[in-house]
Amino acid sequence: MAKILVIEDEESIRENILDLLEAENFEGMGAINGKVGIKLAIEQIPDLILCDMMMPEVDGHGVIKALRSEPLTATIPFIFLTAKADKIDVRTGMELGADDYITKPCTPQELLKAIAIRLEKQKTISRQSQKTLDELRTNISMSLPHELRTPLNSILGFSELILSEYQVFEESDILEMIGQIQDSGHRLYRLIQNFLLYAELEIAATNPELIEEMRNSQFSCVKSLLTEKARQQAKHANRTDDLHLNLQDASVAIDSVRLTKIIEELLDNAFKFSLEGTPVFLSTLVENQTFILSVKDRGRGMTADQIGQLEAYRQFDRKLYQQAGLGLGLAIVQRLAELHGGELKIVSLPQQETIVCVSLPV
């Protein structure tokens, strides 16, 4: 039984609507004005709200503005009931988040049809959200334990072997095992850092003050930083000869730490998903007051569907390819770009090439 809140200051209209809802097996609740309606909506969390436009104290626009700012009521379907429905009112209501407008007087059939359409649309959205949540749970449950366990197994296994059998091993063997332990430690450290960073960015996305602070950041020595970081990563991946740089200097609205993270993740993907001996191009340019950083490789690539489904904790073709990571890299880059007033774009031809571009304000 769907719960519907009716916010209407005219008692006769309110009671008629509530009677109609009861006859159609809805659970109806009435509010005598906007102030009471806001309180009831937050307390009861209805499935849909019918709200009059012209009311004393708090009018319809005030009601929807208040409810859209509350996380618990922000997505509740909202239908305006009004005798005044000129284009300016309709436009204002839609901009505030209204789902529909019904002009009074209306027939019971018109009202019920509007309610049915909005409730069905909300069900579709809920089903899609649940599907996305289920996929996220699956991706996390499949990848996170494996990604934590693999480096830990290496660290524990080699360290136990050294402790119990160190007398029979050559010094070179012990040094090799220590190197494996260190590599696994770095992998585990990066995994944890990315996990914490992504959570931090998701929190920052809900805080206007933090977003403003991030967008007021500035870094000038872009070319020097990117050159140094790119060469370090190419050397680490044994791909020094594959790296090609074409960099312009600029002053960018981001700090050096976050810019370093962007280039680290983009180059890590480019080296990881392309074969040794194939080129990886890193270039920058300034165009229309926008700094554009692009990384191109000639590796596996992505399909249009995969690009459209880009999100955290998702790795494509994981069963087909043995690959490390949680799929957080591009999600972090995308979030960083958006929070700094920029964007991430990907153009890819599977098995041919991939170009990832990050644009940021200068």
Side-chain angles (χ1 to χ4, degrees):
M1 185 182 290
K3 189 189 299 183
I4 298 177
L5 171 61
V6 182
I7 306 173
E8 169 64 68
D9 62 326
E10 290 190 38
E11 184 179 0
S12 59
I13 296 176
R14 185 175 67 251
E15 292 304 319
N16 284 339
I17 293 174
L18 290 172
D19 288 343
L20 174 64
L21 294 176
E22 184 180 351
E24 296 294 325
N25 293 318
F26 291 112
E27 180 184 347
M29 299 178 293
I32 59 174
N33 57 46
K35 189 175 180 180
V36 173
I38 293 169
K39 185 172 182 292
L40 256 180
I42 294 171
E43 288 175 354
Q44 298 295 325
I45 313 297
D47 298 296
L48 183 141
I49 297 171
L50 298 172
C51 183
D52 185 26
M53 173 64 73
M54 306 295 291
M55 293 183 292
E57 290 191 62
V58 182
D59 65 6
H61 286 166
V63 172
I64 192 170
K65 201 170 182 180
L67 295 181
R68 288 296 184 249
S69 66
E70 286 285 336
L72 289 174
T73 58
T75 59
I76 296 174
F78 195 103
I79 299 175
F80 273 123
L81 299 170
T82 179
K84 180 185 177 184
D86 59 40
K87 288 183 179 180
I88 295 176
D89 281 333
V90 171
R91 185 66 184 170
T92 301
M94 292 301 182
E95 286 174 353
L96 290 171
D99 296 283
D100 202 354
Y101 256 88
I102 296 179
T103 305
K104 296 186 291 187
C106 65
T107 66
Q109 290 75 22
E110 288 172 337
L111 181 59
L112 292 173
K113 184 178 180 181
I115 290 172
I117 289 171
R118 292 303 150 191
L119 289 177
E120 184 56 38
K121 184 177 180 181
Q122 192 69 5
K123 283 182 184 178
T124 302
I125 293 170
S126 296
R127 283 194 294 266
Q128 187 59 46
S129 297
Q130 187 60 48
K131 182 183 175 184
T132 302
L133 188 59
D134 290 342
E135 288 178 355
L136 178 60
R137 286 196 187 104
T138 300
N139 289 331
I140 292 176
S141 64
M142 286 178 64
S143 60
L144 187 57
H146 169 78
E147 289 304 321
L148 291 172
R149 193 183 300 119
T150 301
L152 270 177
N153 284 344
S154 181
I155 293 168
L156 293 173
F158 282 120
S159 60
E160 287 173 7
L161 197 57
I162 292 171
L163 287 170
S164 62
E165 305 288 343
Y166 70 93
Q167 292 176 327
V168 302
F169 285 118
E170 298 287 338
E171 183 179 340
S172 60
D173 294 330
I174 292 176
L175 287 175
E176 185 179 344
M177 286 187 279
I178 291 173
Q180 292 282 355
I181 291 171
Q182 187 180 48
D183 287 344
S184 296
H186 284 309
R187 176 177 166 185
L188 188 59
Y189 176 77
R190 185 180 176 203
L191 169 69
I192 293 169
Q193 288 296 101
N194 273 4
F195 183 86
L196 294 174
L197 175 58
Y198 187 76
E200 178 188 320
L201 294 175
E202 288 300 292
I203 293 170
T206 65
N207 188 324
E209 291 180 3
L210 278 177
I211 294 173
E212 185 178 359
E213 182 182 329
M214 292 170 77
R215 293 185 179 184
N216 286 331
S217 304
Q218 184 174 333
F219 182 68
S220 300
C221 304
V222 170
K223 184 176 180 179
S224 175
L225 176 72
L226 296 185
T227 299
E228 181 183 357
K229 186 61 185 176
R231 287 175 177 165
Q232 285 176 359
Q233 283 193 256
K235 184 178 179 181
H236 182 72
N238 295 316
R239 301 281 297 274
T240 303
D241 293 338
D242 295 339
L243 179 65
H244 300 268
L245 302 177
N246 181 19
L247 305 176
Q248 292 182 19
D249 223 341
S251 180
V252 190
I254 190 171
D255 64 35
S256 61
V257 174
R258 294 188 175 106
L259 181 59
T260 297
K261 186 61 181 173
I262 287 174
I263 193 62
E264 177 185 299
E265 294 299 336
L266 294 185
L267 284 177
D268 183 67
N269 274 351
F271 289 132
K272 185 191 298 182
F273 299 120
S274 65
L275 296 174
E276 187 176 345
T278 61
V280 171
F281 301 92
L282 170 63
S283 62
T284 62
L285 63 90
V286 176
E287 190 175 83
N288 299 324
Q289 293 299 301
T290 301
F291 173 77
I292 302 171
L293 183 156
S294 67
V295 174
K296 180 169 75 170
D297 68 77
R298 291 177 182 160
R300 186 198 309 173
M302 302 170 70
T303 66
D305 286 343
Q306 289 172 340
I307 293 171
Q309 295 172 35
L310 174 65
E311 58 192 39
Y313 306 109
R314 177 187 289 275
Q315 280 199 346
F316 302 109
D317 303 326
R318 189 182 184 99
K319 294 178 182 178
L320 184 61
Y321 301 95
Q322 292 298 316
Q323 58 199 52
L326 281 174
L328 278 173
L330 284 179
I332 286 173
V333 171
Q334 184 176 40
R335 227 3 162 186
L336 281 170
E338 291 170 350
L339 289 172
H340 286 85
E343 63 178 344
L344 170 75
K345 286 185 178 179
I346 302 173
V347 177
S348 185
L349 295 172
Q351 308 305 326
Q352 293 185 50
E353 71 173 23
T354 299
I355 303 173
V356 183
C357 292
V358 174
S359 62
L360 295 164
V362 297

